[in-house]
Amino acid sequence: SQTIHQWPATLVQPVGSPLSLECTVEGTSNPNLYWYRQAAGRGLQLLFYSVGIGQISSEVPQNLSASRPQDRQFILSSKKLLLSDSGFYLCAWSVGQLGEQYFGPGTRLTVT
Amino acid sequence: AQTVTQSQPEMSVQEAETVTLSCTYDTSESDYYLFWYKQPPSRQMILVIRQEAYKQQNATENRFSVNFQKAAKSFSLKISDSQLGDAAMYFCAYRGGNQFYFGTGTSLTVIP
């Protein structure tokens, strides 16, 4: 069966520090991968999605970047965090152009 | 551009009663998928139900059912025999190609 992992679960970082969040999927090949951000009590904002290794589409201009070094690994990064980067970050995957999206457990990021 | 609208930020229902959450969407596509996701306080996104646009029959999953009106671009979720565990944020989502579009969510309270 397919599973999706995200780490860390919780992170507190000072403004200006770097960020690296990792997401891995098991049990499937060539998944579409997604990074979302969710502010408290709000909806999901799509940040990046990837349909293959090295293929990244950015939806929102910001100081974040994403990379996909392996088929089932998706990394969200920042060189310098801003206070506005605080939020709940969700990784998700889907297969092909059919069906639903499955989500990881999320990372709660607080920038102080 | 595809948009998903949930016009009810908050809803409440008595335990064992029925509640309907509303969702409308905008698209020019003829083939697509629609979903309802549940996000409990743990913030894990859980798929509740899915609907394929080419299917006229409304999807049902145990106590959860949808009313899919393709011409009206409406996709409501009905929860029957509401339980305390149904209390959560509910998100309506549309899939077009590789991208998913989410509504802003409806917070459901279940009153014992």
Side-chain angles (χ1 to χ4, degrees):
Chain A
S1 64
Q2 301 91 351
T3 55
I4 178 169
H5 304 279
Q6 274 188 255
W7 65 89
T10 305
L11 191 60
V12 179
Q13 292 282 92
V15 168
S17 64
L19 173 73
S20 180
L21 302 182
E22 189 165 342
C23 170
T24 59
V25 180
E26 296 177 355
T28 187
S29 296
N30 196 30
N32 302 319
L33 296 172
Y34 308 79
W35 278 112
Y36 293 90
R37 178 168 59 200
Q38 185 180 31
R42 305 288 296 275
L44 278 68
Q45 178 188 33
L46 178 64
L47 300 175
F48 301 94
Y49 74 95
S50 171
V51 298
I53 296 175
Q55 302 178 59
I56 309 293
S57 296
S58 174
E59 293 299 306
V60 181
Q62 68 249 311
N63 68 321
L64 300 173
S65 62
S67 62
R68 185 171 177 173
Q70 300 181 39
D71 181 45
R72 291 169 288 178
Q73 184 184 32
F74 206 23
I75 297 172
L76 182 69
S77 303
S78 174
K79 292 182 179 178
K80 289 185 178 182
L81 283 168
L82 306 173
L83 286 174
S84 58
D85 291 323
S86 292
F88 190 64
Y89 289 81
L90 285 159
C91 181
W93 70 272
S94 67
V95 175
Q97 295 203 11
L98 305 175
E100 56 270 22
Q101 200 170 46
Y102 297 95
F103 288 82
T107 295
R108 189 182 309 275
L109 171 65
T110 303
V111 182
T112 61
Chain B
Q2 288 83 356
T3 57
V4 178
T5 301
Q6 293 179 250
S7 59
Q8 305 156 315
E10 297 178 351
M11 293 281 286
S12 62
V13 61
Q14 293 280 349
E15 193 175 4
E17 296 297 311
T18 296
V19 64
T20 298
L21 308 184
S22 300
C23 173
T24 59
Y25 58 95
D26 185 24
T27 183
S28 59
E29 303 293 326
S30 59
D31 193 16
Y32 48 87
Y33 290 78
L34 295 164
F35 310 93
W36 279 97
Y37 284 88
K38 169 185 177 181
Q39 189 180 41
S42 67
R43 303 193 80 172
Q44 173 74 57
M45 291 284 283
I46 302 165
L47 177 68
V48 174
I49 199 165
R50 60 177 275 183
Q51 175 77 44
E52 296 154 34
Y54 67 87
K55 290 187 177 180
Q56 293 184 338
Q57 186 174 6
N58 290 324
T60 299
E61 288 287 342
N62 300 315
R63 297 182 295 107
F64 299 88
S65 62
V66 299
N67 183 5
F68 174 48
Q69 302 291 330
K70 190 173 184 179
K73 296 179 182 176
S74 172
F75 183 59
S76 61
L77 175 70
K78 185 172 80 171
I79 306 174
S80 303
D81 186 24
S82 297
Q83 301 175 359
L84 295 178
D86 295 333
M89 183 74 81
Y90 287 82
F91 291 96
C92 177
Y94 162 97
R95 177 173 188 170
N98 287 323
Q99 290 209 45
F100 292 75
Y101 302 87
F102 287 82
T104 52
T106 296
S107 178
L108 178 66
T109 299
V110 180
I111 303 167

